Amino acid sequence: MSDEINGQMYPVLIGLMGCGKSSIGRLLAKELGLTFLDLDHYIVEKAGQTIPGIFAEQGEEGFRDLETRALREVLGTPVVIASGGGVVMREENRTLLEAHAPVIWLKSSLHFLANRIQGDKNRPLIAGRDALTVLQQLAEVRYPYYTQCADYILHRGEMNKAASLHAVLEYLKQWKYENS
Ligand code: S3P
């Protein structure tokens, strides 16, 4: 499942909102000496609009178009990518992610995630709604997709950021060994 050249390793983090893709991705990039790229920030910068602004003006489909374009532009470049939780919703994106490695799914309990994101005004999918209910609905649809795209699943459980980073680095060490 690798499209990398010369054993280069440009990890992509996937998973539901609030699972730590950005915070762990940033630490991971530092450890690997790579640039960190938050796909949502990339989209926001290009569009000159916030995520809620894009959803309000162009709807979720409009946002997904921008997301697919962004993914195509950055995937395979020398960065660590933290994707948005819904990146797996488009078949085209899943095909791209399946062809790329390593893709890492940060998996946490839905209660943990709901507590982290409840009331976040920058996440239109949960605006004015019960985060746990939304996450349960998203998980049902997305878990098979995350499974399909991921080379490695980190079951975070009670793991804090440092322990999660350590576990991901251990996996990547092995990945690098097997792919160089
Ligand atoms: C979304 C997740 C968000 C962002 C957008 C849609 C989703 O990213 O892309 O609000 O569909 O799950 P995070 O996973 O970084 O919150």
Side-chain angles (χ1 to χ4, degrees):
M1 283 227 322
S2 170
D3 64 353
E4 307 300 335
I5 305 156
N6 299 331
Q8 296 288 5
M9 185 176 69
Y10 307 136
V12 179
L13 302 180
I14 61 173
L16 286 173
M17 293 178 269
C19 71
K21 300 178 296 272
S22 299
S23 57
I24 290 172
R26 197 167 281 116
L27 297 172
L28 189 58
K30 211 169 166 196
E31 288 288 331
L32 300 176
L34 290 170
T35 300
F36 171 67
L37 192 143
D38 184 305
L39 201 63
D40 281 346
H41 288 179
Y42 183 90
I43 294 165
V44 164
E45 287 209 347
K46 282 217 138 188
Q49 257 182 323
T50 62
I51 302 275
I54 297 169
F55 269 73
E57 249 186 43
Q58 308 181 40
E60 182 171 348
E61 280 311 298
F63 174 76
R64 298 289 170 216
D65 289 341
L66 298 178
E67 189 175 46
T68 296
R69 197 179 310 157
L71 184 67
R72 279 198 172 283
E73 285 169 5
V74 301
L75 195 65
T77 63
V79 293
V80 171
I81 298 175
S83 61
V87 75
V88 295
M89 292 307 291
R90 286 259 170 106
E91 189 182 354
E92 184 181 348
N93 299 356
R94 295 197 295 276
T95 304
L96 289 170
L97 289 169
E98 271 198 284
H100 181 88
V103 175
I104 297 158
W105 174 13
L106 302 181
K107 191 173 181 190
S108 296
S109 86
L110 299 181
H111 283 92
F112 173 82
L113 297 178
N115 282 334
R116 287 188 60 171
I117 66 171
Q118 184 68 56
D120 186 340
K121 300 233 169 356
N122 209 32
R123 290 183 161 115
L125 292 184
I126 56 157
R129 301 181 65 193
D130 176 55
L132 182 59
T133 307
V134 174
L135 287 168
Q136 280 163 340
Q137 290 162 354
L138 296 179
E140 203 165 313
V141 177
R142 294 179 182 180
Y143 274 16
Y145 294 156
Y146 292 141
T147 305
Q148 177 187 338
C149 296
D151 299 292
Y152 173 62
I153 304 173
L154 177 68
H155 298 271
R156 281 193 70 176
E158 298 297 307
M159 263 188 227
N160 62 19
K161 230 186 279 178
S164 303
L165 176 67
H166 180 76
V168 171
L169 284 168
E170 284 301 304
Y171 164 71
L172 291 177
K173 240 189 260 171
Q174 185 64 26
W175 185 90
K176 185 110 192 178
Y177 175 74
E178 286 167 3
N179 288 276
S180 55

